[in-house]
Amino acid sequence: MTTPTSTAPAVDATSVTETQEAVGRSPGQLMWLRFRRDRTGVISAIIVIFFFLVAILAPVIAAVYGKNPYTLYGQDIPGLLNDYGYPVAPNGGISSEYWFGLEPSLGRDVFTQLVYGIRTSLGIAVVATIIMTVLGIVIGIVAGYAGGKTDYFVGRVIDLTLSFPQTLFIIAFMPVVDSLLVASNEEPPVWLRAVSLTIMLTAFGWAGLARLLRGQVLSLRTREFVEAAKVTGASPARIVFKELLPNLWTPILIQSTLLLPAMVTAEAGLSFLGVGMGELVPDWGRMFLRATQVYRNDITYLIFPGVALLVFVVAFNLLGDSIRDAFDPKIKR
């Protein structure tokens, strides 16, 4: 006699475990639990935190190291640079005294330039990202919730902003700002360059998040919980903050984590093109500009900022993907 085989589907042990762990946990706890299981996300978070700590502690690191990014060591100390301005020691002048070598021609310390360059790029990128996120949230929610002519007008402004040639406009506009606010025989102050760059990056960066949130709000405002809030007499402000905004934190957080590395590369790119922080301020973009002039004779000077920027951008993008998957595991690839 043949024993009938069971046709019941096999139970996934992982799904059972996740279901058991989800009992009694808040959405935030579940997100954190899923994120901790993502090894790529955890490693990326550690790398990103490391970069931020380096940026914050740059003066401390330089003091312990005993060098700074401004002193012309190669010119002040004989025997460090040859007659052509290149480091005498091999591999760009790397030694126990100068860990990452010396900058060709000027002879500045590369390690402290890199550390302070992280501080410059991240500082501008963080401020610009925060302002862009706030603007994107306000404009996107207002346009989506108000609808009608307001939505149409804001939508056209968003389309115009996204279609604008951002890089070309900033390259053309920055010298105009300098000429209006600074005398022709003077160098623009550091704070003015930082503020100008932040404003320019913000002016073109908010539109993507605003368009995303506008579409989300247009979909959410017809849902039952929003209609129920209107029936009960809830004010528009209460509907926005209590009903809509809690459902928008996921795209806001994900988009912000993607905006920050984009702003870092944008700031470095503008400095590379000559409209960034200037020669006297340590900056990744300026290091790239100098490296392109000397890479044939000193490739080492190009490697350090290149690897640093690559690692940071890749780590932050992977972190953004991990956060997205932790918030909504259904879209995990």
Side-chain angles (χ1 to χ4, degrees):
M1 181 176 181
T2 304
T3 304
T5 58
S6 174
T7 58
V11 179
D12 188 352
T14 303
S15 300
V16 173
T17 303
E18 291 179 352
T19 303
Q20 292 174 346
E21 292 179 342
V23 176
R25 295 180 183 268
S26 66
Q29 291 174 328
L30 291 175
M31 187 276 290
W32 173 243
L33 184 63
R34 287 191 290 264
F35 179 78
R36 285 191 308 173
R37 289 176 173 169
D38 189 343
R39 184 175 300 178
T40 301
V42 172
I43 295 174
S44 300
I46 293 173
I47 295 174
V48 169
I49 292 172
F50 170 77
F51 273 91
F52 273 93
L53 288 177
V54 170
I56 295 171
L57 300 175
V60 177
I61 295 173
V64 173
Y65 176 59
K67 303 288 189 304
N68 66 73
Y70 310 107
T71 302
L72 308 180
Y73 297 101
Q75 296 184 8
D76 296 340
I77 303 175
L80 293 179
L81 300 179
N82 60 25
D83 294 337
Y84 300 99
Y86 293 101
V88 173
N91 300 318
I94 294 177
S95 65
S96 59
E97 187 74 14
Y98 304 98
W99 293 354
F100 288 2
L102 294 168
E103 177 186 5
S105 182
L106 295 178
R108 293 180 290 195
D109 180 74
V110 176
F111 176 74
T112 51
Q113 282 193 69
L114 190 65
V115 170
Y116 273 80
I118 296 172
R119 186 185 182 93
T120 301
S121 298
L122 270 183
I124 294 175
V126 168
V127 174
T129 300
I130 292 173
I131 300 174
M132 281 187 289
T133 301
V134 173
L135 285 176
I137 291 173
V138 173
I139 296 174
I141 292 179
V142 168
Y145 184 75
K149 293 182 179 180
T150 301
D151 179 44
Y152 178 82
F153 175 75
V154 174
R156 302 295 74 76
V157 173
I158 291 174
D159 292 338
L160 179 63
T161 303
L162 292 175
S163 64
F164 226 83
Q166 172 183 344
T167 304
L168 292 178
F169 182 84
I170 295 177
I171 292 174
F173 191 74
M174 288 293 287
V176 176
V177 174
D178 293 341
S179 64
L180 291 176
L181 301 178
V182 182
S184 57
N185 59 343
E186 296 180 2
E187 185 71 16
V190 174
W191 68 266
L192 178 61
R193 278 297 180 95
V195 171
S196 300
L197 275 176
T198 303
I199 293 175
M200 290 292 100
L201 292 173
T202 302
F204 294 101
W206 61 269
L209 178 59
R211 167 178 277 183
L212 175 64
L213 296 182
R214 169 183 170 270
Q216 294 280 340
V217 173
L218 286 173
S219 175
L220 289 173
R221 71 176 185 175
T222 59
R223 300 284 291 273
E224 292 80 0
F225 64 91
V226 176
E227 295 296 335
K230 291 179 179 178
V231 171
T232 58
S235 64
R238 179 177 177 81
I239 293 175
V240 168
F241 287 102
K242 297 294 184 180
E243 305 296 340
L244 294 178
L245 197 56
N247 292 280
L248 298 173
W249 284 122
T250 299
I252 290 172
L253 184 57
I254 294 172
Q255 193 70 10
S256 298
T257 57
L258 297 177
L259 275 175
L260 184 58
M263 290 302 102
V264 170
T265 55
E267 189 278 333
L270 291 172
S271 294
F272 176 82
L273 295 172
V275 292
M277 293 301 296
E279 176 66 28
L280 299 179
V281 179
D283 184 89
W284 281 353
R286 191 203 58 76
M287 293 182 72
F288 278 117
L289 176 61
R290 180 60 180 152
T292 58
Q293 301 168 353
V294 301
Y295 74 94
R296 293 180 182 273
N297 298 297
D298 185 7
I299 191 64
T300 309
Y301 188 70
L302 177 63
I303 291 176
F304 290 112
V307 171
L309 184 60
L310 176 64
V311 170
F312 176 79
V313 172
V314 171
F316 221 110
N317 285 329
L318 291 176
L319 178 61
D321 290 341
S322 298
I323 292 175
R324 179 200 60 195
D325 296 340
F327 268 106
D328 191 356
K330 298 177 183 177
I331 62 176
K332 188 174 182 179
R333 294 188 296 269

